[in-house]
Amino acid sequence: SGVGYVDTFLQYIKDKNLPVQLLLSTKANDLIIKDGRVAGVMAQAKNGTKYVLNAADGVILTTGGFGANVKMRNEYDELWGKKLGETTPTTNLPSATGDGISLAKKAGAGLTQMGWIQLFPAGDPTTGATSFKLGENSCIYVNKNGKRYVNESERRDVLAKANLAQEGGVFYVISSAKRALVDKDGRNAYGVKVADILKSGKSYKADTLEELAQKAGINGKNLVETVKRWNEFCKKGTGDEMGRPTCMDDHRLDEGGPYYATLMTPSVHHTMGGVTINKKAQVLNEAGNVIPGLYAAGEVTGGIHGTNRVGCNAVPDALVFGRIAALNFVK
Ligand SMILES: Cc1cc2nc3c(=O)[nH]c(=O)nc-3n(C[C@H](O)[C@H](O)[C@H](O)COP(=O)(O)OP(=O)(O)OC[C@H]3O[C@@H](n4cnc5c(N)ncnc54)[C@H](O)[C@@H]3O)c2cc1C
């Protein structure tokens, strides 16, 4: 979906014939500081070309978070016992390395809430991807013992903690083929082909719950009992054993098979901490004073979301503060 936003901006730039130059695959390595003011960026393209980009009005950092930087994750983490090493996957692109945070820090920026890192509760155990599942994030979760252990409509931090506490830190999302939102081309709600997901060996399909449990390595007797109780709740609408307020139609399992079980684990999703900014998106130093010429917006900043970013609030954060930064920048 990010492509949708970027394409819209690119089209706007083209339509309005705006004088914007994009340097793709070009890495910002350093900030240029002149007379105490951030006045440009040193950068290098993938092909080795070096750039000195002078910026009389200043620089806006929009380099994202550090979800893919294992060293930084464990250096700063305050929520997950510094266990976010190489084996913990991430939903992020490999470019989420926190470069902007390091550049700003070198220029004297204050950092805030760096220890607050969000785990996405249900990611692919190898790649961390959120899209490689059959069913939805709030379908029922069971552990290898075939038992539910959490209200699946809880906050992301609560779910991630509960999921990590299961054997091997993994669990299964259980869904029904009749309700798994598969489109006419056989793609799941994220556009991924169901056949590819099943081929991955991390997702299982079976006509009965007993067969599903056997294929996936789940305790079958317990799974059948768990689903029976879940179906009773869906029918009655009250009294869920985990305290869920509602069953939700797409999560029903009472219409018969085939059923799906997808193996999942929490993966690093968002870094709530970053450089400190004020409401004009100006970067502040450790003493709380403005660093002239330096602005920041989006996941590179901290202090916006608290310990548990609510889903769908990061893109508005990036867009709103990006706009605020630009408006102040041109003043
Ligand atoms: C799978 C997934 C699903 C999500 N879904 C949602 C959602 O539905 N709603 C929502 O609000 N949020 C969602 N988020 C979070 C949201 O997408 C991010 O927080 C947001 O995109 C951050 O925007 P940004 O512009 O700050 O950084 P990014 O989008 O991360 O962009 C940073 C850019 O800077 C570049 N960069 C990094 N270092 C350098 C450097 N040294 N030099 C030059 N360029 C550099 C990177 O290559 C990248 O292109 C999701 C995140 C993921 C991973």
Side-chain angles (χ1 to χ4, degrees), residues 22-309:
L22 294 172
L23 299 174
L24 298 176
S25 295
T26 303
K27 188 175 176 182
N29 291 321
D30 232 331
L31 294 173
I32 300 166
I33 301 173
K34 278 188 194 150
D35 304 327
R37 186 180 171 82
V38 176
V41 172
M42 306 282 281
Q44 184 164 7
K46 209 173 168 186
N47 66 11
T49 309
K50 289 187 176 167
Y51 294 93
V52 177
L53 303 164
N54 293 307
D57 294 321
V59 169
I60 308 177
L61 287 172
T62 61
T63 44
F66 58 94
N69 186 328
V70 172
K71 190 166 170 277
M72 273 180 86
R73 279 175 358 195
N74 274 344
E75 179 184 344
Y76 289 107
D77 168 48
E78 288 172 22
L79 298 178
W80 307 101
K82 302 209 181 283
K83 287 184 185 150
L84 303 177
E86 296 287 351
T87 54
T88 305
T90 177
T91 64
N92 289 191
L93 291 174
S95 58
T97 45
D99 290 11
I101 296 173
S102 307
L103 295 183
K105 194 176 161 201
K106 214 170 134 193
L111 305 183
T112 184
Q113 301 175 354
M114 288 292 287
W116 298 351
I117 296 173
Q118 178 168 76
L119 300 191
F120 193 84
D124 180 291
T126 319
T127 65
T130 58
S131 53
F132 228 64
K133 69 169 73 72
L134 295 164
E136 292 180 80
N137 294 320
S138 49
C139 281
I140 62 165
Y141 300 170
V142 301
N143 55 23
K144 288 186 179 169
N145 198 24
K147 298 212 167 167
R148 284 174 68 208
Y149 48 87
V150 72
N151 163 0
E152 299 85 355
S153 59
E154 260 290 2
R155 293 162 46 131
R156 286 179 176 172
D157 52 353
V158 174
L159 293 178
K161 205 169 170 200
N163 294 343
L164 283 175
Q166 305 313 304
E167 189 189 331
V170 293
F171 66 100
Y172 299 85
V173 169
I174 306 292
S175 64
S176 144
K178 292 188 175 119
R179 294 280 179 171
L181 303 178
V182 178
D183 72 9
K184 62 179 175 27
D185 299 322
R187 293 177 189 273
N188 73 1
Y190 303 89
V192 182
K193 282 206 159 160
V194 170
D196 290 342
I197 298 176
L198 290 171
K199 230 188 287 166
S200 74
K202 286 170 272 190
S203 221
Y204 306 88
K205 181 180 180 182
D207 289 332
T208 65
L209 289 168
E210 290 85 348
E211 195 191 339
L212 185 76
Q214 201 188 21
K215 282 186 175 175
I218 304 171
N219 180 314
K221 193 166 157 274
N222 289 346
L223 180 66
V224 169
E225 182 56 31
T226 296
V227 171
K228 185 172 156 247
R229 285 205 296 275
W230 172 248
N231 287 339
E232 283 165 7
F233 163 63
C234 288
K235 206 163 155 199
K236 269 198 268 162
T238 54
D240 176 51
E241 57 187 334
M242 295 295 145
R244 273 181 72 140
T246 169
C247 153
M248 295 163 78
D249 269 356
D250 293 337
H251 304 1
R252 303 184 75 93
L253 296 167
D254 57 357
E255 297 162 328
Y259 301 99
Y260 294 129
T262 307
L263 187 67
M264 305 250 93
T265 195
S267 61
V268 176
H269 189 52
H270 192 90
T271 48
M272 276 78 72
V275 303
T276 314
I277 54 169
N278 61 15
K279 61 184 181 183
K280 290 182 176 172
Q282 292 170 300
V283 175
L284 305 180
N285 67 16
E286 281 183 346
N289 301 317
V290 168
I291 299 180
L294 190 59
Y295 298 77
E299 207 173 323
V300 69
T301 68
I304 312 287
H305 297 284
T307 53
N308 177 62
R309 175 181 71 87

